[in-house]
Amino acid sequence: MNKKKNRIAVVSGIRTPFAKGDGPLKNIQADDLGALALKALMNESDSNKNEIDEIIIGNVAQPANSANIARVIALKAGFNKSIPAYTVHRNCASGMESISSAAYKLLNGDENKIIAGGTESMSNIPFLFKPKMKKFFEELFKAKTISQKLNCLRKFKLSNLMPIIGLVEGLTDPTCNLIMGLTAENIVNEFKISREEQDKYALESHQKAIKSREILKEEISPIPIMPDYKRILDQDHGPREEQTLSALQKLKPYFNRQTGSVTVGNACPISDGAAMLLLMTETEAKKEKKEVLGYINSFAYAGCEPRTMGLGPVFATQKLFKKTGFSINDMDLIEMNEAFAAQIIGNLRAFESKTFAKKHFDQSMAVGKIDEKKLNVNGGAIALGHPVGTSGTRLILTALKELKRRGKERALATLCVGGGQGAAFVVESN
Amino acid sequence: MSNFKLTIDKNFNAWLEFDVKNKKVNILNEESLLNLEEKIEEIKKNKTIKSLIILSKKINNFIAGADIFEISEIKNREEGEKKLIYANNILKEIENLKIPTIAAINGSCLGGGMELALACNFRIVSDNKNTKLGQPEVNLGLIPGFGGTKRLPQTIGFKESIKMISTGKAISGKKALKIKLADYILNESHFKDELTKLLKKGLIKKKRKKDIIDKSPILQNLMTRIAIKTIRKKTKNQYPAPIEAVKLIKRTFFKSINKSLLDEKEVFLKLLKSPVSKNLIHLYMTQEHVKKKYKQNKDLELNETAVIGAGLMGSGIAWNLSYKNINVSLNDIDWKNICHGFQNINNIYKTLKRRKRWKQTEVINFMHKVNAVTNIKQIKNNDFIIEAVSEDILLKKNIFKEIEKNNEKSIIATNTSSLDIEEMSKVLKKPENFIGLHFFSPVNKMPLVEIIPNSKTSKETIEKTNALSQKLNKIPIIVKNCPGFLINRILIPYVNEAILNLEDGAEINEIDTLMKKFGMPIGPLALADEVGIDVGYKVAKVLEKGYGERMKVSKLFESIIKDENLRGRKSKKGFYDYSKNKKENNDIKETLKKNRIKKEHIHRDCLDRMLLIMVNEAARCLEEKIVGSPEELDLAMIMGTGFPPFRGGLCRYIDQRGIQNIVTRLELLESLYGIRFKPAKYLYEKIENESKIYN
């Protein structure tokens, strides 16, 4: 793709503050978070609700109480019933998938203005009953006579009550049976990454995020906290001012308790939050003389080994570069989602490794060495949080805002996807 | 042309369809009753008819009741008695028909309509949400007069009938089925088809089983006493009808129908004579008059609205909009204020949730209608904006200039209780879109709004503001721009006079009790505490500036306002002390004791001073045409200040007491207490023309 082609204009964008699981946003469901972000987006933008043609939202947990959560969000945010909405799911890249789905529709000329975004409330992912318990309930409800009922009750075992934790299920890859933390341990082993490196990286993420508190407020719309509205949350709740290396080093490995090195401190937390962008094509935006945040030049998704799903960014970026002719040196900033410190470090090594390129892409050149000064300059998910369906949108929003602030041109926003995929977007300020 | 149409189908069912010409609802007026009598005669003669179905051609209405206008025109006891006997005889004819009789109720079925349905063997209702059954006569100070106090208890038992008749509240079709008032419930959209099918199958009467109260006179006695006590407490003993109704039901429960009807007639005629009933009927006509005058034909289309200022008023108005499912952006300068605003709104919904047994999700959906905005530049593309910041004319003007830029087509309304609308309109580029819209506090409870156009406000703006007010379930009254508009212009002098009374030697409790006995829901001094003494004072000063000597703020008011701890209920102290149980504030009493010289006649004049200061100002408002009609003035006073409905309104009070009496009294008060009691020119004119305020 060359620069002359019609790009997607990001007319405006906003997000809620992110909060750690069971934190200040724990009582707000994913649809309500999404609606709050959507209303805030409409405040930011100079468009009317009725000008919007479609609303596309990414969401991973897909709460049972709001099927097609995008539609629920649109109606709750006060959109007219005639405006359609649908939900997309590409696991951790859902918040990017919504944007790329919108891009196709816009470029095809089907629609003029689409809102794309993501929402997630990981605090509200429910516990489930085991199949045995379900069967017990079914039999009990079917039982008519008292003796049948008693008979059924007799079969009850206390162990049936042990719940299935929805969150853990969701974070476990059913094909390789690994929880995400263990896929990070695989990267640790493959690239021989030390515990110190990981903890140091995590600490820096917090330090950068704390330093950028005020900067990040530019992309955040404060929200009155439901259900009592007793206070307002106006900044991300994850970044820790008092974070120290020694504190991080004291933490026990969480996923591989004996020999592992991935801890809750050098991984991203369970998080709640939502983000929204208003998208048009570049030509239409210019026709309507819109002031825009920036543009989406191109994007690519790629598959990779589920056991090391964290390497997704290098696979997706390689594909995107090949497709567009961009190189890492064209990028003024890089936003790479910090699922795990180990996973970021693994990617940094893979990006600059000729061997890796040769082995996986059959090319002699490395994908490109990443200048760490350009990487996640305002901190990343380890500090800010990773509401899975939302992060994709957040990366693009943060990258565009930062390009504007720095007066720079181009950024790469990329993230790894549970199940073994990567997503990569090239965004531009002008 | 008869109001009833009789058709006999091939199965020999007689369908008697009620359709009063030129009216939206069916009413049992003289003509309808005459037509009904003829048709019943016809049915009696036709021996082939197997059953009679009475139904309505109106949408969402079965029968709305008797003709209230006709009732109001009844001149004497004989005329009333004649009408009652006539109607009751027709119902008896229906009751005595040898064939099964069925009232097919798809829509509201009230008062006389309900009594007609009770005279039938079967009542079949629909699940239409407009299907409501009730005996609302007590709202007019009356009781059912077509046998309702006998046939309803016979049908649904002692307990339920006392509830329905004494409260006047209507019940849904589903509830009617549950208490066996209805025999069947049918789907609204297939009402007639289902009914036909049911007739083919044959109707079965499942009579309600008598409960223990129906059998025991002792329990009935007990229940009657409890009910009367509750009613007395609720109505402050000012409304005799519900009590009479309960007593009557008790007295006639075991009597024969003929004897019961005689008793009912006596009680009905007694109540009809009473001033309470006369005033309530008058008030009903007043309401109808105003409703007609403010009627809106076009539906108001609103996409986006905004409220500027998230204080108590602003958030109350935002609540009102959200509750009607209108998107509203609530703007304030900082998030802390917005947060308070959201709390206020949420608290109102919490109460509603408890009362209406909502789920939390319903509260959340309403709360989402409110959108928080701190940057006023983001208030854009609205259809209707209501500004409700603090009463600071400069601040308000700046806001209007700012919001006019991004809201070209919007109506901009200002919620003010005392600022000059004309003056504010000058800063706007489009004063035609600008209007005053005065809500009363608390917004969720007070049913009145004052609409105040400026000299350039367009007709369309007035109409839309009227439409919005009605959409918000408020009663709008259009008033001219003047200091205090209508309500505060009349009410604040009354509060001021109460304080002057206090200065002159009356007691806090005495003053408030006098007004409560008159029928006000709350005494003037307690009212000042509720509103906030500082708030009242601010308006009082505006009035003093606007009207001079006659609205001079009392010395005591001036000295109280200096003490910042005395702000009324919100500061826990005002005329009363609210720190524990509400009691008179002794500090004020102490200060007073030192200074005041008790005037003579104080106790004799106390009530009239407060009442007639209002009367006199109301007369001036009519004289200056601040309000369009006495009907509007009376309704505004009742809805805006709680002026007792059983008195029919302030103008009605003047007419009933007699203008000459009032003027004489005012002249006396003027000589004793000062020029503020000088009777308004308007009153003298009325005496000269020998007319009343209501013609």
Side-chain angles (χ1 to χ4, degrees):
Chain A
M1 279 188 223
N2 57 50
K3 234 196 120 174
K4 293 235 171 60
K5 72 178 184 89
N6 199 359
R7 298 175 298 175
I8 295 298
V10 179
V11 183
S12 44
I14 198 91
R15 68 176 172 96
T16 69
F18 287 180
K20 285 197 273 190
D22 270 333
L25 301 182
K26 68 174 173 185
N27 289 322
I28 310 183
Q29 299 287 334
D31 51 339
D32 293 320
L33 271 176
L36 288 169
L38 185 49
K39 287 195 280 183
L41 178 75
M42 293 319 290
N43 291 340
E44 284 284 305
S45 115
D46 61 357
S47 297
N48 267 335
K49 286 191 187 116
N50 286 336
E51 291 173 46
I52 308 301
D53 299 306
E54 178 125 52
I55 293 161
I56 308 172
I57 309 287
N59 174 254
V60 175
Q62 310 257 338
N65 59 349
S66 45
N68 187 10
I69 197 166
R71 176 69 172 164
V72 180
I73 288 170
L75 292 179
K76 282 197 174 184
F79 275 78
N80 199 307
K81 292 177 183 74
S82 62
I83 295 165
Y86 67 95
T87 312
V88 293
H89 197 312
R90 197 196 278 272
N91 211 348
C92 315
S94 299
M96 280 180 168
E97 181 57 46
S98 59
I99 295 166
S100 49
S101 296
Y104 290 126
K105 290 192 156 208
L106 292 167
L107 290 172
N108 205 26
D110 289 347
E111 317 287 5
N112 176 268
K113 292 187 185 73
I114 297 182
I115 289 171
T119 187
E120 206 70 56
S121 173
M122 297 172 78
S123 300
N124 283 299
I125 297 175
F127 284 17
L128 308 171
F129 281 122
K130 285 179 176 175
K132 270 187 190 163
M133 191 65 190
K134 182 172 171 251
K135 202 171 155 234
F136 170 77
F137 275 134
E138 281 169 354
E139 277 174 22
L140 190 65
F141 296 151
K142 261 189 240 160
K144 294 254 157 56
T145 65
I146 291 183
S147 75
Q148 275 173 336
K149 276 185 186 161
L150 281 175
N151 207 16
C152 177
L153 282 169
R154 260 200 356 243
K155 283 189 222 154
F156 178 77
K157 279 188 197 139
L158 215 53
S159 67
N160 290 1
L161 279 179
M162 191 67 192
I164 299 170
I165 300 166
L167 184 65
V168 173
E169 290 288 294
L171 290 175
T172 303
D173 186 328
T175 61
C176 60
N177 279 321
L178 291 176
I179 191 160
M180 289 302 124
L182 290 178
T183 71
E185 292 286 5
N186 287 342
I187 294 177
V188 166
N189 295 336
E190 188 176 333
F191 291 91
K192 308 206 176 352
I193 300 163
S194 73
R195 167 79 188 263
E196 283 66 33
E197 277 179 283
Q198 292 177 51
D199 287 345
K200 229 179 111 228
Y201 184 88
L203 178 65
E204 275 170 21
S205 183
H206 279 280
Q207 286 167 341
K208 283 190 277 186
I210 289 292
K211 221 178 97 197
S212 300
R213 271 244 188 265
E214 289 308 309
I215 281 180
L216 286 169
K217 278 188 182 170
E218 290 173 20
E219 64 188 56
I220 292 174
S221 170
I223 50 177
I225 300 173
M226 296 189 330
D228 290 324
Y229 304 91
K230 290 262 162 65
R231 68 188 193 92
I232 298 280
L233 185 68
D234 64 350
Q235 60 181 8
D236 296 317
H237 151 257
R240 302 169 75 124
E241 251 164 87
E242 70 285 11
Q243 189 66 290
T244 61
L245 194 60
S246 60
L248 283 166
Q249 283 170 333
K250 273 186 205 132
L251 293 168
K252 288 227 166 71
Y254 189 80
F255 302 97
N256 176 348
R257 292 191 179 265
Q258 290 78 33
T259 59
S261 60
V262 177
T263 68
V264 289
N266 60 37
C268 67
I270 304 299
S271 315
D272 306 329
M276 299 284 159
L277 305 178
L278 172 57
L279 307 175
M280 298 175 78
T281 61
E282 183 177 4
T283 40
E284 287 296 312
K286 282 188 173 150
K287 222 188 270 173
E288 293 187 22
K289 298 201 174 69
K290 296 277 183 200
E291 245 179 67
V292 302
L293 271 184
Y295 301 94
I296 290 160
N297 178 296
S298 46
F299 50 83
Y301 299 94
C304 65
E305 173 59 55
R307 291 174 48 79
T308 51
M309 67 88 208
L311 296 175
V314 67
F315 286 90
T317 307
Q318 186 273 339
K319 188 170 167 185
L320 183 61
F321 282 177
K322 204 171 153 193
K323 190 161 93 170
T324 58
F326 284 126
S327 80
I328 202 77
N329 296 326
D330 295 320
M331 303 299 149
D332 301 310
L333 289 168
I334 291 148
E335 282 291 329
M336 189 188 291
N337 196 44
E338 296 169 354
F340 301 94
Q343 162 259 340
I344 293 284
I345 297 164
N347 270 294
L348 290 176
R349 299 208 180 145
F351 262 86
E352 64 180 331
S353 161
K354 282 185 190 168
T355 337
F356 190 88
K358 181 82 193 149
K359 183 178 167 197
H360 292 281
F361 311 123
D362 195 24
Q363 63 182 41
S364 54
M365 296 275 286
V367 177
K369 184 177 159 49
I370 290 174
D371 180 356
E372 284 188 55
K373 280 192 208 111
K374 295 180 184 172
L375 178 69
N376 298 348
V377 293
N378 297 318
I382 289 173
L384 305 177
H386 177 27
V388 276
T390 308
S391 287
T393 313
R394 202 276 296 169
L395 293 174
I396 288 169
L397 176 63
T398 307
L400 284 171
K401 288 262 182 191
E402 188 60 26
L403 282 178
K404 273 258 146 89
R405 276 190 290 268
R406 295 188 174 211
K408 294 286 186 186
E409 197 184 345
R410 192 175 293 116
L412 172 71
T414 177
L415 103 182
C416 63
V417 182
Q421 295 189 62
F425 276 58
V426 169
V427 299
E428 292 168 333
S429 61
N430 291 304
Chain B
M1 264 287 282
S2 176
N3 284 340
F4 284 91
K5 200 176 115 197
L6 184 65
T7 16
I8 296 163
D9 67 15
K10 58 181 192 301
N11 299 320
F12 303 104
N13 296 313
W15 298 78
L16 188 57
E17 195 176 56
F18 194 9
D19 184 16
V20 176
K21 287 159 282 178
N22 306 325
K23 279 208 187 303
K24 266 193 164 165
V25 293
N26 288 325
I27 51 171
L28 290 169
N29 53 17
E30 224 177 274
E31 191 193 5
S32 299
L33 285 169
L34 190 74
N35 296 156
L36 180 62
E37 191 189 19
E38 290 162 4
K39 295 292 175 194
I40 298 297
E41 275 307 305
E42 204 181 318
I43 292 163
K44 257 165 78 181
K45 280 183 202 138
N46 187 339
K47 299 291 175 203
T48 59
I49 292 175
K50 278 190 359 205
S51 65
L52 166 67
I53 304 110
I54 303 176
L55 71 168
S56 154
K57 206 182 172 184
K58 305 289 184 203
I59 297 162
N60 296 334
N61 168 257
F62 176 67
I63 301 171
D67 185 341
I68 293 162
F69 182 73
E70 271 179 19
I71 295 178
S72 75
E73 294 280 285
I74 294 175
K75 301 237 164 32
N76 49 40
R77 192 194 142 88
E78 286 67 41
E79 196 188 333
E81 193 168 15
K82 221 174 90 189
K83 276 181 189 278
L84 281 180
I85 291 172
Y86 179 59
N88 269 309
N89 280 341
I90 300 175
L91 294 198
K92 229 181 267 169
E93 289 284 319
I94 295 175
E95 196 173 36
N96 292 339
L97 284 175
K98 297 281 182 294
I99 49 171
T101 48
I102 298 136
I105 304 161
N106 183 11
S108 53
C109 169
L110 302 170
M114 173 88 171
E115 291 168 294
L116 173 67
L118 282 166
C120 296
N121 303 119
F122 294 93
R123 280 155 299 280
I124 298 179
V125 296
S126 76
D127 59 355
N128 182 340
K129 71 175 185 333
N130 293 301
T131 298
K132 294 270 175 202
L133 296 88
Q135 300 279 184
E137 289 83 354
V138 289
N139 295 329
L140 297 175
L142 297 171
I143 57 161
F146 298 168
T149 62
K150 180 63 186 176
R151 292 196 185 97
L152 191 66
Q154 274 180 336
T155 314
I156 62 174
F158 190 81
K159 193 174 123 206
E160 292 291 342
S161 63
I162 278 196
K163 218 197 280 173
M164 278 186 78
I165 291 176
S166 72
T167 63
K169 279 188 187 141
I171 58 170
S172 68
K174 268 185 192 157
K175 177 81 198 280
L177 186 77
K178 204 176 144 198
I179 63 172
K180 296 263 175 9
L181 176 56
D183 302 276
Y184 293 90
I185 188 163
L186 302 176
N187 183 306
E188 158 200 15
S189 54
H190 306 101
F191 191 65
K192 229 173 144 178
D193 294 345
E194 298 253 318
L195 187 59
T196 315
K197 265 190 233 162
L198 199 60
L199 287 169
K200 246 183 226 164
K201 231 167 56 186
L203 298 173
I204 301 158
K205 188 79 192 173
K206 281 170 257 164
K207 258 203 157 175
R208 177 180 168 276
K209 243 174 94 185
K210 281 191 176 145
D211 64 19
I212 184 157
I213 300 167
D214 297 328
K215 291 176 194 158
S216 153
I218 299 167
L219 285 178
Q220 286 175 14
N221 254 332
L222 188 70
M223 191 161 219
T224 309
R225 252 184 292 155
I226 296 170
I228 290 175
K229 210 172 143 194
T230 321
I231 295 165
R232 285 229 159 94
K233 212 173 143 194
K234 240 184 192 164
T235 60
K236 303 202 174 91
N237 214 6
Q238 308 271 22
Y239 297 84
I243 295 170
E244 292 289 339
V246 172
K247 282 185 186 162
L248 178 68
I249 293 170
K250 160 82 193 53
R251 205 162 63 228
T252 59
F253 194 78
F254 294 106
K255 280 192 192 171
S256 74
I257 178 125
N258 285 341
K259 278 188 187 153
S260 303
L261 288 178
L262 280 178
D263 281 11
E264 184 186 82
K265 191 181 74 191
E266 286 312 311
V267 177
F268 185 94
L269 291 171
K270 187 174 93 188
L271 287 169
L272 186 64
K273 235 177 27 189
S274 71
V276 171
S277 169
K278 283 206 156 72
N279 285 337
L280 287 174
I281 290 173
H282 181 267
L283 177 62
Y284 174 84
M285 312 287 252
T286 301
Q287 276 173 311
E288 289 299 300
H289 175 92
V290 176
K291 227 191 256 171
K292 219 165 158 188
K293 190 164 172 183
Y294 285 81
K295 201 181 151 197
Q296 286 290 315
N297 294 321
K298 264 188 289 177
D299 197 34
L300 178 73
E301 267 201 40
L302 285 176
N303 288 316
E304 302 290 331
T305 66
V307 173
I308 316 294
L312 205 60
M313 288 310 286
S315 55
I317 298 167
W319 166 80
N320 206 165
L321 288 157
S322 70
Y323 188 45
K324 294 293 151 187
N325 268 316
I326 301 168
N327 289 334
V328 51
S329 295
L330 181 60
N331 168 261
D332 209 301
I333 42 169
D334 74 40
W335 281 101
K336 221 176 83 193
N337 297 354
I338 296 249
C339 200
H340 275 293
F342 269 70
Q343 267 179 57
N344 288 340
I345 300 171
N346 193 44
N347 286 338
I348 302 176
Y349 279 125
K350 264 195 202 157
T351 319
L352 279 168
K353 182 187 162 194
R354 233 174 293 133
R355 214 176 58 208
K356 303 203 164 195
R357 292 184 195 156
W358 283 346
K359 288 180 189 157
Q360 177 64 17
T361 51
E362 283 166 278
V363 174
I364 291 174
N365 286 347
F366 279 122
M367 287 303 292
H368 269 307
K369 288 276 152 204
V370 190
N371 169 33
V373 179
T374 44
N375 181 353
I376 197 157
K377 290 199 170 68
Q378 293 183 348
I379 296 293
K380 56 186 192 288
N381 305 333
N382 287 288
D383 306 306
F384 210 111
I385 303 177
I386 301 167
E387 166 279 317
V389 301
S390 55
E391 295 276 71
D392 172 346
I393 199 156
L394 275 175
L395 174 65
K396 283 183 189 254
K397 281 178 175 176
N398 284 335
I399 288 171
F400 300 145
K401 279 191 262 182
E402 184 63 47
I403 52 180
E404 205 181 16
K405 286 183 221 157
N406 296 326
N407 296 280
E408 279 188 358
K409 287 175 196 150
S410 180
I411 289 173
I412 298 175
T414 174
N415 174 65
T416 175
S417 58
S418 56
L419 297 178
D420 188 343
I421 306 292
E422 197 61 36
E423 165 73 20
M424 286 189 271
S425 75
K426 286 174 188 154
V427 298
L428 285 118
K429 283 197 189 104
K430 291 186 181 164
E432 63 268 29
N433 292 347
F434 179 71
I435 197 162
L437 181 58
H438 180 205
F439 287 81
F440 293 80
S441 183
V443 177
N444 57 319
K445 292 198 179 129
M446 297 297 285
L448 184 79
V449 291
E450 288 174 314
I451 296 177
I452 313 107
N454 71 70
S455 59
K456 294 193 180 110
T457 305
S458 71
K459 213 176 140 210
E460 195 192 341
T461 301
I462 299 174
E463 268 169 19
K464 281 188 177 167
T465 309
N466 174 17
L468 177 78
S469 309
Q470 295 192 37
K471 201 167 188 159
L472 298 181
N473 280 0
K474 299 290 177 212
I475 295 165
I477 300 291
I478 297 173
V479 302
K480 271 198 199 151
N481 182 39
C482 68
F485 312 132
L486 177 69
I487 293 296
N488 279 334
R489 181 171 164 178
I490 297 175
L491 196 67
I492 296 289
Y494 151 77
V495 174
N496 195 40
E497 197 60 41
I499 301 173
L500 281 166
N501 264 327
L502 195 58
E503 259 181 43
D504 288 348
E507 302 295 330
I508 295 174
N509 247 332
E510 180 190 2
I511 292 167
D512 278 359
T513 310
L514 270 175
M515 284 321 296
K516 276 196 331 209
K517 267 200 185 141
F518 178 77
M520 296 298 272
I522 177 175
L525 299 173
L527 176 70
D529 278 357
E530 291 296 328
V531 175
I533 290 178
D534 50 333
V535 178
Y537 178 79
K538 236 180 170 175
V539 186
K541 283 312 250 189
V542 172
L543 294 184
E544 182 181 298
K545 204 175 147 217
Y547 302 103
E549 182 59 28
R550 75 166 194 265
M551 300 248 186
K552 195 161 170 39
V553 176
S554 68
K555 279 196 201 111
L556 180 57
F557 209 163
E558 297 278 8
S559 76
I560 287 173
I561 200 71
K562 283 184 195 127
D563 186 345
E564 281 185 25
N565 296 320
L566 295 178
R567 287 291 180 265
R569 189 186 272 279
K570 61 185 168 187
S571 70
K572 296 250 184 310
K573 251 183 193 177
F575 291 103
Y576 293 87
D577 185 340
Y578 299 88
S579 42
K580 274 186 194 158
N581 293 325
K582 178 179 163 186
K583 56 170 195 272
E584 289 186 37
N585 184 354
N586 286 325
D587 304 348
I588 287 194
K589 277 173 102 175
E590 287 304 312
T591 339
L592 274 171
K593 262 185 197 152
K594 283 174 212 150
N595 300 328
R596 72 182 171 186
I597 314 145
K598 207 161 183 167
K599 286 202 180 161
E600 275 176 84
H601 311 309
I602 176 66
H603 301 294
R604 191 196 66 194
D605 295 341
C606 190
L607 176 68
D608 258 357
R609 282 172 65 181
M610 294 186 281
L611 270 174
L612 296 194
I613 200 95
M614 282 198 279
V615 161
N616 212 15
E617 204 53 39
R620 286 201 184 89
C621 287
L622 290 171
E623 184 180 317
E624 296 168 27
K625 298 202 163 54
I626 295 302
V627 61
S629 63
E631 280 93 346
E632 285 159 274
L633 194 153
D634 277 355
L635 195 60
M637 284 301 288
I638 289 169
M639 296 304 171
T641 73
F643 194 87
F646 68 87
R647 294 200 184 268
L650 200 49
C651 299
R652 172 81 175 171
Y653 175 76
I654 300 175
D655 278 350
Q656 280 199 325
R657 189 160 160 182
I659 300 184
Q660 184 59 59
N661 173 309
I662 282 174
V663 168
T664 314
R665 199 68 180 112
L666 275 169
E667 282 167 347
L668 179 71
L669 290 175
E670 186 191 354
S671 69
L672 287 172
Y673 301 100
I675 193 143
R676 63 182 184 278
F677 288 104
K678 187 176 160 45
K681 217 166 71 203
Y682 185 80
L683 295 173
Y684 285 119
E685 277 168 19
K686 288 280 165 192
I687 292 174
E688 214 163 283
N689 301 336
E690 289 179 19
S691 64
K692 289 183 164 188
I693 292 183
Y694 280 98
N695 295 319

